[in-house]
Amino acid sequence: MRTNSELCIIECPRDAMQGLNYFIPTESKVFYIDLLLKCGFDVLDVGSFVSRRAIPQMRDTAEVLNRIEISSCSTELLTIVANIRGAESAVQFDQISYLGYPFSISETFQKRNTNKSIEESYRLLDEIYSIANRGNKEVVLYLSMAFGNPYGDEWNNELVHYWIDQLHQRFDPSIISLSDTIGCADKERISVLFGELIHSFDSVEFGAHLHVRPEEAKLLLDAAYKAGCRRFDTAMRGYGGCPMANDDLTGNMPSEQLLEWLIQNNIVNNINVSSFEMAIDSVNKVFNNL
């Protein structure tokens, strides 16, 4: 695993696409992901093995995985799973390194997102980790609603600490990504939470999966980085958001803003700028079926 001092950039075409109300053809997904694989991202979140009814956009994940060209790149692949069946499907693919599981500390959102209570989700993780271990995969825990929720469910820093402590004691997770599912995080919350958690759980690689307004992106990146976070989820042009939350969600952290911020701050990264520019030039074509 990486340490909290190593930069890790995760590009998320799955999160960018999943909430669209029209289907992006499989060949367009393959074309786009092949471009992203040339950019030097550390990880690509390429798809999900979940209910076709819940997320119809990702119903072709298996076909996409079989068609993309990964032999000549070092980028690792991640897919989201939400149940035992999905995990068992995902581990059949040698191309996949990570299974992502969304664990929410909001009871309302956990039920909306996975049709399970928090307690049921917690118990399910026993099976998810067991399947992942047998398949030689690593689990990425997404702590959904980590910075607040719109439902009136309890949220505070202590609750975040409580659940991470429970998860840490039970599963010894190597990666936990704090997810701002509704774009409510500000720099103070980000600074405090990342600073405290990285100090308290030094064996965990903490990540930031932030849904943001574009004008706030660099401010929040700066806060997370200065608090010790080195793992960032992004999506080109800021596309995406969670279809199981609110319809008026802000978008994902724009990849281009992260790259600009890294360059402005002289932070070494592995992004191939020319390949990045080719990929970002294709976004409108792919996402609008042009």
Side-chain angles (χ1 to χ4, degrees):
M1 64 167 285
R2 296 176 180 83
T3 68
N4 275 312
S5 64
E6 296 177 82
L7 183 66
C8 180
I9 304 175
I10 301 92
E11 179 66 14
C12 303
R14 184 272 314 169
D15 201 15
M17 295 177 180
Q18 67 177 6
L20 298 175
N21 58 12
Y22 54 88
F23 184 73
I24 295 180
T26 302
E27 56 269 24
S28 295
K29 291 189 179 89
V30 172
F31 166 77
Y32 184 56
I33 291 169
D34 278 342
L35 287 177
L36 295 175
L37 286 168
K38 298 175 182 178
C39 293
F41 295 111
D42 297 285
V43 180
L44 280 190
D45 176 355
V46 296
S48 61
F49 289 91
V50 299
S51 166
R52 292 186 173 206
R53 192 180 316 118
I55 309 291
Q57 186 69 247
M58 294 293 109
R59 65 182 184 262
D60 59 350
T61 291
E63 185 177 356
V64 169
L65 285 166
N66 284 326
R67 291 175 58 182
I68 57 177
E69 179 54 58
I70 64 169
S71 60
S72 60
C73 73
S74 60
T75 299
E76 296 177 302
L77 303 184
L78 177 151
T79 58
I80 298 294
V81 301
N83 53 35
I84 292 171
R85 181 178 178 182
E88 289 175 339
S89 296
V91 298
Q92 302 305 312
F93 290 84
D94 293 338
Q95 303 95 312
I96 294 173
S97 298
Y98 301 99
L99 307 185
Y101 182 80
F103 182 88
S104 181
I105 61 173
S106 158
E107 187 75 31
T108 303
F109 185 68
Q110 188 70 70
K111 289 179 179 176
R112 291 183 63 162
N113 200 34
T114 64
N115 199 31
K116 296 176 180 65
S117 67
I118 290 178
E119 187 58 37
E120 288 170 331
S121 185
Y122 185 69
R123 292 198 300 268
L124 172 63
L125 276 171
D126 271 323
E127 291 288 344
I128 299 291
Y129 270 95
S130 178
I131 293 167
N133 288 336
R134 292 198 301 270
N136 196 32
K137 313 296 185 188
E138 198 166 355
V139 175
V140 177
L141 279 180
Y142 290 90
L143 201 76
S144 301
M145 300 291 174
F147 296 92
N149 66 80
Y151 312 115
D153 294 345
E154 180 185 7
W155 181 88
N156 50 56
N157 284 10
E158 290 73 25
L159 185 66
V160 178
H161 278 262
Y162 169 80
W163 274 113
I164 288 181
D165 186 58
Q166 294 297 303
L167 294 163
H168 186 261
Q169 290 188 45
R170 179 78 171 182
F171 306 111
D172 192 23
S174 55
I175 304 170
I176 298 177
S177 187
L178 302 185
S179 300
D180 182 16
T181 322
I182 57 170
C184 67
D186 56 30
K187 64 178 184 178
E188 289 77 16
R189 284 188 185 184
I190 287 172
S191 295
V192 170
L193 267 181
F194 277 109
E196 291 177 351
L197 292 171
I198 290 170
H199 175 76
S200 299
F201 302 94
D202 57 6
S203 66
V204 178
E205 180 188 0
F206 284 99
H209 184 99
L210 304 176
H211 293 171
V212 301
R213 290 187 290 273
E215 65 271 17
E216 295 182 343
K218 290 180 182 178
L219 181 70
L220 301 185
L221 281 170
D222 190 72
Y225 191 89
K226 287 179 178 175
C229 178
R230 297 295 182 269
R231 182 184 180 93
F232 297 96
D233 286 17
T234 67
M236 290 195 169
R237 304 288 189 198
Y239 265 93
C242 179
M244 298 303 179
N246 290 346
D247 292 333
D248 58 350
L249 280 174
T250 51
N252 279 295
M253 175 69 66
S255 313
E256 60 274 20
Q257 293 223 37
L258 172 62
L259 183 57
E260 288 174 6
W261 184 86
L262 292 172
I263 293 171
Q264 289 167 0
N265 288 275
N266 298 312
I267 296 171
V268 176
N269 63 85
N270 296 320
I271 300 300
N272 182 308
V273 175
S274 61
S275 295
F276 184 97
E277 290 174 349
M278 287 181 63
I280 205 164
D281 284 345
S282 74
V283 170
N284 288 338
K285 178 180 178 180
V286 171
F287 280 73
N288 294 289
N289 288 325
L290 299 176

